[in-house]
Amino acid sequence: MPTLFKIMLALALCGAATHATASPEAPVSGTDYVTLPEAQNTDAGQKVEVTEFFAYYCPHCASFEPALAEWVKKQGDKIVFKRVHLGHTPAVVPQQRLYYTLESMGLVPQYHAKVFAALHQQHQRFGNDEQVFDWAASAGIDRARFIDVYRSFGIQARLSRANGMVASYQIREWPQVAVGGKYLTSPHLAGASASAATEAQQQQMALQVMDHLVAKAAAEKK
């Protein structure tokens, strides 16, 4: 990890001590969000690209999803929203393939929340391909078609791109949100200066920081 990024991340994790006056209303780089030492290319045109890095098994990602989805709707056509599912260990790869199969089939809007519910409310485990296939069939997705897409070269290419983005953005925790290919924030970072805040409050702080970062990134495009 580059030294500059280490310093910024360290400042973010101890924001309460180093920037007592920081707040979501006036976000501070190094406390409420991190500025990447090297901006990443985006393909959002004049809109602002917003990318969530997440994993289905992650309870914090599941908790953040409803508030994040509502925030995305409110942004309208100001942003291009994307998701990147991490595949940091072999055990997570079936879930990563599940997400990208749903994305490839155009089924994320219909099934994304249902996957979180299956894992965190119904306590299903997607630890291997067959468990994923069984869930897809039980959820009403054509099993044979799903398997064909799941095992396709196209999905492998999406996984490779996702893993490359995780490395390029230096993602170390999740959920984390990148804005404009340059800024990173999360409920943990945005709520660091309010250590007593509940997870729901930290999520709202993160969304306020994201509002600021979207406006900042849009202004930098002009």
Side-chain angles (χ1 to χ4, degrees):
M1 182 187 300
T3 301
L4 178 60
F5 186 80
K6 287 183 178 179
I7 293 171
M8 286 182 164
L9 184 57
L11 288 171
L13 294 175
C14 60
T18 57
H19 293 282
T21 60
S23 73
E25 291 75 23
V28 175
S29 180
T31 299
D32 301 299
Y33 65 94
V34 170
T35 301
L36 289 171
E38 182 176 350
Q40 302 299 304
N41 292 328
T42 63
D43 57 2
Q46 289 305 305
K47 298 181 182 181
V48 176
E49 184 172 293
V50 177
T51 303
E52 181 201 18
F53 293 87
F54 81 103
Y56 273 135
Y57 76 85
C58 166
H60 301 294
C61 299
S63 175
F64 190 37
E65 174 59 26
L68 177 61
E70 186 62 27
W71 180 87
V72 170
K73 288 181 182 178
K74 290 179 180 179
Q75 297 306 303
D77 62 0
K78 291 191 299 183
I79 69 169
V80 173
F81 180 66
K82 301 181 179 180
R83 295 185 178 92
V84 173
H85 194 298
L86 291 99
H88 50 290
T89 67
V92 180
V93 172
Q95 295 177 30
Q96 187 187 32
R97 280 188 173 274
L98 165 58
Y99 173 74
Y100 286 107
T101 300
L102 292 176
E103 183 183 70
S104 180
M105 297 175 72
L107 297 177
V108 168
Q110 184 178 352
Y111 288 99
H112 189 60
K114 293 181 180 179
V115 178
F116 277 124
L119 279 162
H120 299 282
Q121 298 173 24
Q122 301 161 20
H123 307 294
Q124 297 186 42
R125 290 294 173 261
F126 299 159
N128 58 58
D129 295 346
E130 288 301 322
Q131 290 175 337
V132 172
F133 299 158
D134 289 344
W135 173 83
S138 70
I141 303 172
D142 182 271
R143 185 186 183 99
R145 179 168 174 249
F146 182 90
I147 292 174
D148 284 345
V149 177
Y150 183 95
R151 290 177 170 164
S152 69
F153 176 79
I155 296 303
Q156 186 58 50
R158 292 186 189 220
L159 265 60
S160 296
R161 174 172 169 73
N163 295 339
M165 289 184 66
V166 170
S168 296
Y169 279 87
Q170 303 180 49
I171 302 301
R172 301 288 184 270
E173 64 178 32
W174 42 93
Q176 197 155 42
V177 178
V179 178
K182 188 175 180 179
Y183 308 109
L184 290 173
T185 192
S186 69
H188 172 76
L189 285 175
S193 59
S195 58
T198 66
E199 184 169 12
Q201 290 171 329
Q202 290 177 348
Q203 291 168 3
Q204 291 305 312
M205 291 176 187
L207 297 177
Q208 290 179 51
V209 172
M210 288 159 58
D211 283 335
H212 170 84
L213 294 178
V214 167
K216 180 177 176 65
E220 290 170 351
K221 283 180 174 285
K222 297 178 179 179

